[in-house]
Amino acid sequence: MSYGEGAIINEIHKRPFVRPLVFWITGTILQLCFPLQRVSIALFINVVVFVVISFFVSKRYENLSFGYRNRWVWGVIFAGLLIFLSIQRMSLAEQQAGRASEPGLLLTKAVAFQERMVDKLDLLHISDEEKSVLATITVNYRRNMPKEVSRQFSVVGLSHLLSVSGFHVGIISMFISLILSFMLVRVVFFRYLKYTLTILFIWIFTYTTGLATAAVRAAVMISIYLAGQMSGRRPDKYNTLAGAAFCMLVYNPLYLFDIGFQLSYIAVFFILYLQPRLSGLLEVKNPLLASPWNTLTVTVSAQTGTIFLCFYYFGQSSMVFLFTNLFLSLLSTILIPMALLWMLIPSSTPGTGLLRSALEAMTDSMMWVVERFSSIPGATVSIRFDFFTLVLSYMCLAMIMLYFRTRKYRILIAFLSTLLVILCWQLYNHL
């Protein structure tokens, strides 16, 4: 076994959610490509027979006991069982997707609550377009969103603001933590109370967004992370990400083929992996400059991970995202909690006049920046990827990251070879 293979296996061993996630995705894709609902029953029967036989054999012959020394055997059994369950779950999800169903009671009440909150925006002296943007970035209410405004946000690389995602849930989480900062986490009772309230309010916010896929992903991640904090442990960030993905795919395997799910998870993965490395390139000690620098590195990391998917699904990517994200991400960090506060508090509350003026000014500033930058010639680059090019592009990206980690020239040669294949494939398609 090479050093690289051993390192990868060790990394997987440290993150127990990675393996079941891989097996679950494998079963989901197998069911999609080759309907195996009935055939997979044979796999389940083999697993059950093997477990029963191993039980009786271990009772009779102690030297054949399938204990910890032979844990790889149980690993194969576990993998087979997970693949069987994922195939059956995917088959059930396909059947449910083929039938039209009415929205559930919880979702119906969530939509009604959204509408009541959005009605409070009519009290602001802003245009209808600005109201639609404010309603979208706070509670994911997109009914009145003009197509031209959506196009402008896409051009400047801010589509993620118009879809309630982990960015929004993270802002709400920080806002709640700030409010509850008076609680002493060193005291066990207050630590449990603070984290429990944080999880509760995050899920309330996720519920009001209509259980948007990216918002659910972020809520699950933060819940797993805070559960680890309550237990006094420091959860692994990649294991938390894999655990959130596994929980969502068990609930609905069709999330795997949702554009928002794919963009959300790959963006978070690259933020977790790439952002610390980019941030370490320049040591910024000034706290006034550290926050913009961190925001910039987060933006670059997320854009690096999602650019090929954008080419595949949308055929374009923004070229001005660095200039818009830095300012508008910081502005949204303040605007979103203030807008939610405006929606929730009564109009007669003292200080609402000042809050209204601030909301109007910040919303005007956001729309002014979006309109100006979206009108710049060449603000987007248009490239259309097919699936083969998409896979090879991410292979190239993985090789580059692996090369900077290991400094092995054979990885660099493999990268250049894959890049040559992409260029030849694009030339072939063009001709």
Side-chain angles (χ1 to χ4, degrees), residues 57-94:
V57 167
S58 62
K59 285 285 188 180
R60 188 175 181 87
Y61 305 102
E62 294 184 0
N63 59 332
L64 294 177
S65 176
F66 295 98
Y68 183 77
R69 290 177 300 175
N70 299 312
R71 59 191 182 278
W72 64 270
V73 177
W74 294 106
V76 173
I77 295 173
F78 177 70
L81 184 60
L82 265 182
I83 292 175
F84 163 75
L85 291 175
S86 64
I87 289 174
Q88 297 298 318
R89 181 66 185 91
M90 180 61 181
S91 175
L92 179 62
E94 289 176 323

Side-chain angles (χ1 to χ4, degrees), residues 255-277:
Y255 277 148
L256 182 63
F257 312 102
D258 181 80
I259 300 175
F261 180 90
Q262 296 173 12
L263 289 172
S264 175
Y265 272 93
I266 199 166
V268 173
F269 173 79
F270 273 85
I271 290 172
L272 294 178
Y273 181 84
L274 202 56
Q275 191 274 336
R277 291 163 173 79

Side-chain angles (χ1 to χ4, degrees), residues 102-291:
E102 295 292 329
L105 179 62
L106 287 177
L107 195 56
T108 303
K109 289 186 175 295
V111 173
F113 185 60
Q114 275 184 341
E115 293 175 347
R116 289 198 300 270
M117 294 183 70
V118 170
D119 288 341
K120 286 289 299 290
L121 297 179
D122 293 333
L123 301 177
L124 298 175
H125 298 113
I126 54 178
S127 66
D128 291 339
E129 290 183 351
E130 292 172 338
K131 289 177 185 177
S132 66
V133 170
L134 208 54
T136 302
I137 67 175
T138 49
V139 293
N140 205 39
Y141 190 85
R142 307 176 60 90
R143 294 187 183 180
N144 301 323
M145 174 61 62
K147 291 184 178 179
E148 177 60 21
V149 175
S150 297
R151 186 196 67 81
Q152 291 176 344
F153 272 80
S154 177
V155 168
V156 298
L158 291 170
S159 296
H160 62 279
L161 282 183
L162 296 183
S163 178
V164 173
S165 60
F167 174 75
H168 302 72
V169 178
I171 290 175
I172 300 304
S173 177
M174 289 189 296
F175 183 68
I176 295 171
S177 297
L178 181 63
I179 295 176
L180 301 177
S181 59
F182 66 91
M183 293 186 179
L184 299 175
V185 294
R186 294 182 180 179
V187 181
V188 176
F189 172 77
F190 287 113
R191 182 171 72 242
Y192 274 71
L193 180 61
K194 178 180 179 179
Y195 292 148
T196 302
L197 290 176
T198 303
I199 294 173
L200 176 64
F201 284 118
I202 285 172
W203 278 103
I204 291 174
F205 171 73
T206 305
Y207 171 70
T208 61
T209 67
L211 298 174
T213 302
V216 172
R217 185 268 309 158
V220 172
M221 278 192 65
I222 294 176
S223 300
I224 294 175
Y225 177 81
L226 293 180
Q229 292 289 324
M230 281 193 289
S231 64
R233 299 179 180 179
R234 188 175 181 179
D236 181 85
K237 52 188 179 181
Y238 298 109
N239 193 51
T240 303
L241 181 65
F246 179 73
C247 293
M248 289 188 67
L249 293 177
V250 168
Y251 173 74
N252 185 2
L254 295 178
Y255 277 148
L256 182 63
F257 312 102
D258 181 80
I259 300 175
F261 180 90
Q262 296 173 12
L263 289 172
S264 175
Y265 272 93
I266 199 166
V268 173
F269 173 79
F270 273 85
I271 290 172
L272 294 178
Y273 181 84
L274 202 56
Q275 191 274 336
R277 291 163 173 79
L278 293 178
S279 181
L281 295 176
L282 181 63
E283 185 178 359
V284 181
K285 296 183 179 180
N286 190 327
L288 296 178
L289 298 177
S291 181

Side-chain angles (χ1 to χ4, degrees), residues 275-312:
Q275 191 274 336
R277 291 163 173 79
L278 293 178
S279 181
L281 295 176
L282 181 63
E283 185 178 359
V284 181
K285 296 183 179 180
N286 190 327
L288 296 178
L289 298 177
S291 181
W293 171 243
N294 288 331
T295 302
L296 184 65
T297 54
V298 167
T299 301
V300 172
S301 302
Q303 191 73 10
T304 301
T306 58
I307 187 169
F308 299 136
L309 273 179
C310 290
F311 287 149
Y312 176 69

Side-chain angles (χ1 to χ4, degrees), residues 309-317 381-385:
L309 273 179
C310 290
F311 287 149
Y312 176 69
Y313 284 116
F314 312 117
Q316 66 177 24
S317 183
V381 57
S382 297
I383 301 176
R384 176 64 66 177
F385 274 13

